Amino acid sequence: MELQGKKLVVLGGVAMICELVENAKNRGAYVIVADYYSNSPAKKVADQAWLISTADTEQLAVKCIENGVDGVIAAFDDFNVACAQKLSEKIKKPFYATAAQVEATMDKVNFKKLCKLNDVPSTPEFEIDDELSQNCLDKINYPVIIKPVDGSGARGITICYSEKELIDAYKKAKSTSKKGNVILEKYIVGEEIGVNYVLQDGEISATVLHDRYMQKSNGNSVRLPVAYVYPSKYTEKYLENENQKVIAMFKSIGMENGTLFLQGCMENEVCYFYEMGYRLNGAKQYQILNDLCGFNPMEMIVNFSLTGKMEEHSIKPLVNPMLSKVCCTLSILAKPGYISKITGLDRIKALKETLAVTQWYKEGESIDEDALGTQKQIAMRITVATEDRKQLARVINQIYEILDILDDKQNSILIDQFDTTELLTD
């Protein structure tokens, strides 16, 4: 869809969103990036930058009206998506989600309630009060996982194996939550899966499922993803047993447009969902869908914000969750430290199997110590498409041989690579 002459405001200028900014510009839009950082990566590729907090929707609304803005968008971050929805409402421009839908799907407690109302399996949880009273503590069976209700990127999340660990983790999770609220769930050690959907004028389609391979261990911190493999080995079973129930759940709160993802854990062949994002996933599955299926959910939500339409034609005939190739998005994890040199990146981009590379950090930047145990440890993501799992394993191993990230002493800071033998034994 051409966007010539349209003005788009993007909330949040993180490196991940540069692709969205550049895509909108290439289709004719004039793009403004707003946040409270003077040197955000996306501001460097935008047409204009505003030094305004994404939370200051009053000031942003004034600026949008003064500048004749046609639409507002955000991605990859729950908080900024909620701000984009609120700002769009203030300036009377289209947004794919309502305030009620954002609150129902992106707050973890509300999402679990929505699942229960619609008979969609979700991870069991434990009730806790604000004081974390002994009466509550006595009813908990360990291990458990505690999270801020409104967090993303694994921030503020801790796995607890004892009462003492839970008491310490409770303070961390509560302080991380913008609402000051937490959720406590049973910690299920099972295979992780993710499900992506696209919504267009009330037509809701599961677009792709992935198996999410995690670190083997990360202490008491949540394990971080090392690889997303598509299509999931559970795709056919999910589409047969769970898909219609989940679609009915979305329709129960009037969802009609946009893109979303669900994260869950398999136990005894049941998928227990624990999180949902009514937004783009940081693994950027749209890169695969664009290449293999011919539609792009990232472009579609930008279209909606600027025109009120996801796309000019129905994408339903293009949807194929089984995909025509075996794909993978690798999360390249690194230890905190200064990045002096990244080697092999041009060679990786030149591989015929490479669909996309998204750098979270570049040479001369640092991974902070507070990134430990969060997705801020992801230095980059690399997405590839191959003919089968055997070829996928070969390509991933080739990438690992080529790539390195060095600190100021020329030591590698890469950690926890994906064991590709798992691809051939599943």
Side-chain angles (χ1 to χ4, degrees):
M1 185 181 289
E2 290 295 318
L3 304 175
Q4 198 65 43
K6 299 286 186 181
K7 281 191 177 181
L8 176 70
V9 167
V10 176
L11 298 189
V14 295
M16 280 195 298
I17 212 164
C18 288
E19 186 177 356
L20 183 151
V21 172
E22 291 171 332
N23 179 282
K25 286 178 61 178
N26 289 340
R27 293 192 289 143
Y30 183 89
V31 182
I32 303 163
V33 172
D35 62 20
Y36 57 49
Y37 298 104
S38 59
N39 203 31
S40 298
K43 285 183 174 177
K44 298 174 185 177
V45 297
D47 294 298
Q48 190 177 344
W50 291 348
L51 190 62
I52 305 173
S53 168
T54 59
D56 191 351
T57 54
E58 293 292 341
Q59 186 181 355
L60 284 168
V62 171
K63 288 280 286 184
C64 285
I65 293 168
E66 287 177 350
N67 285 269
V69 166
D70 297 290
V72 180
I73 197 68
F76 312 118
D77 175 83
D78 291 347
F79 179 76
N80 283 338
V81 169
C83 291
Q85 188 284 322
K86 186 176 182 180
L87 177 57
S88 297
E89 195 170 278
K90 284 181 182 293
I91 64 173
K92 296 180 172 54
K93 299 298 180 182
F95 195 79
Y96 62 82
T98 66
Q101 289 163 358
V102 168
E103 185 65 18
T105 57
M106 296 214 231
D107 178 287
K108 292 177 177 62
V109 171
N110 290 339
F111 169 63
K112 298 290 286 296
K113 290 177 181 176
L114 184 63
C115 287
K116 289 175 184 175
L117 284 172
N118 290 275
D119 197 29
V120 172
S122 62
T123 46
E125 60 203 75
F126 298 94
E127 289 188 13
I128 51 175
D129 52 32
D130 288 339
E131 295 77 28
L132 206 63
S133 66
Q134 193 62 48
N135 183 51
C136 286
L137 291 171
D138 289 342
K139 297 176 182 177
I140 294 169
N141 297 316
Y142 296 90
V144 293
I145 184 166
I146 190 166
K147 314 170 186 177
V149 298
D150 49 357
S152 60
R155 291 182 289 271
I157 300 177
T158 307
I159 302 163
C160 305
Y161 296 88
S162 68
E163 185 175 297
K164 181 182 183 305
E165 290 178 354
L166 176 58
I167 291 170
D168 292 339
Y170 175 77
K171 298 172 186 175
K172 175 183 172 184
K174 196 173 179 66
S175 65
T176 305
S177 170
K178 292 180 174 64
K179 295 180 178 179
N181 295 327
V182 303
I183 183 169
L184 184 67
E185 300 171 315
K186 175 185 176 183
Y187 179 56
I188 297 176
V189 182
E191 293 179 283
E192 296 258 350
I193 75 162
V195 189
N196 286 75
Y197 283 86
V198 68
L199 301 82
Q200 181 184 17
D201 299 328
E203 186 69 59
I204 304 175
S205 305
T207 55
V208 67
L209 283 74
H210 62 260
D211 297 317
R212 194 169 181 242
Y213 293 87
M214 313 297 287
Q215 289 175 297
K216 297 303 180 186
S217 175
N218 201 20
N220 282 39
S221 298
V222 64
R223 294 180 300 153
L224 298 175
V226 290
Y228 298 71
V229 176
Y230 321 79
S232 166
K233 56 182 171 288
Y234 296 105
T235 297
E236 289 184 341
K237 186 174 290 186
Y238 176 85
L239 294 175
E240 181 181 344
N241 297 333
E242 305 294 339
N243 185 47
Q244 290 306 315
K245 193 183 298 183
V246 172
I247 288 174
M249 177 175 73
F250 300 149
K251 289 186 175 182
S252 74
I253 56 171
M255 294 167 62
E256 293 189 341
N257 290 287
T259 185
L260 62 88
F261 64 92
L262 298 159
Q263 291 180 347
C265 201
M266 298 298 299
E267 187 178 66
N268 299 324
E269 297 195 346
V270 176
C271 181
Y272 293 92
F273 289 115
Y274 58 82
E275 190 167 321
M276 174 179 168
Y278 198 178
R279 57 175 172 81
L280 293 174
N281 187 311
K284 297 187 173 182
Q285 285 85 2
Y286 62 79
Q287 294 167 337
I288 293 169
L289 296 171
N290 183 69
D291 191 83
L292 300 186
C293 300
F295 65 93
N296 189 326
M298 176 192 72
E299 292 185 356
M300 293 173 74
I301 60 169
V302 170
N303 293 346
F304 195 88
S305 291
L306 291 175
T307 71
K309 292 179 62 177
M310 292 284 284
E311 191 53 87
E312 292 173 342
H313 54 80
S314 171
I315 57 92
K316 183 70 174 177
L318 303 175
V319 174
N320 175 22
M322 295 307 297
L323 301 181
S324 58
K325 290 188 176 183
V326 177
C327 303
C328 177
T329 300
L330 285 176
S331 296
I332 305 298
L333 303 181
K335 295 180 288 188
Y338 177 80
I339 298 172
S340 68
K341 190 172 183 61
I342 300 174
T343 64
L345 202 53
D346 287 341
R347 288 178 62 193
I348 290 168
K349 290 178 179 178
L351 294 174
K352 68 179 187 299
E353 295 88 358
T354 300
L355 295 183
V357 175
T358 302
Q359 284 184 254
W360 291 26
Y361 299 94
K362 295 185 178 179
E363 292 178 354
E365 298 178 340
S366 295
I367 301 175
D368 297 332
E369 287 293 332
D370 65 5
L372 277 171
T374 76
Q375 292 198 19
K376 289 182 179 180
Q377 278 191 260
I378 299 173
M380 67 181 70
R381 277 185 164 142
I382 302 167
T383 299
V384 297
T386 62
E387 296 303 322
D388 54 38
R389 286 185 165 229
K390 186 175 180 180
Q391 185 188 10
L392 180 59
R394 179 185 62 76
V395 171
I396 292 171
N397 290 333
Q398 185 180 5
I399 288 170
Y400 288 151
E401 289 173 5
I402 294 171
L403 181 68
D404 207 351
I405 301 178
L406 306 176
D407 64 13
D408 50 1
K409 296 180 180 178
Q410 301 304 295
N411 296 318
S412 177
I413 60 173
L414 294 179
I415 58 171
D416 291 308
Q417 308 294 356
F418 174 42
D419 181 1
T420 55
T421 60
E422 294 185 58
L423 289 171
L424 309 177
T425 56
D426 281 345

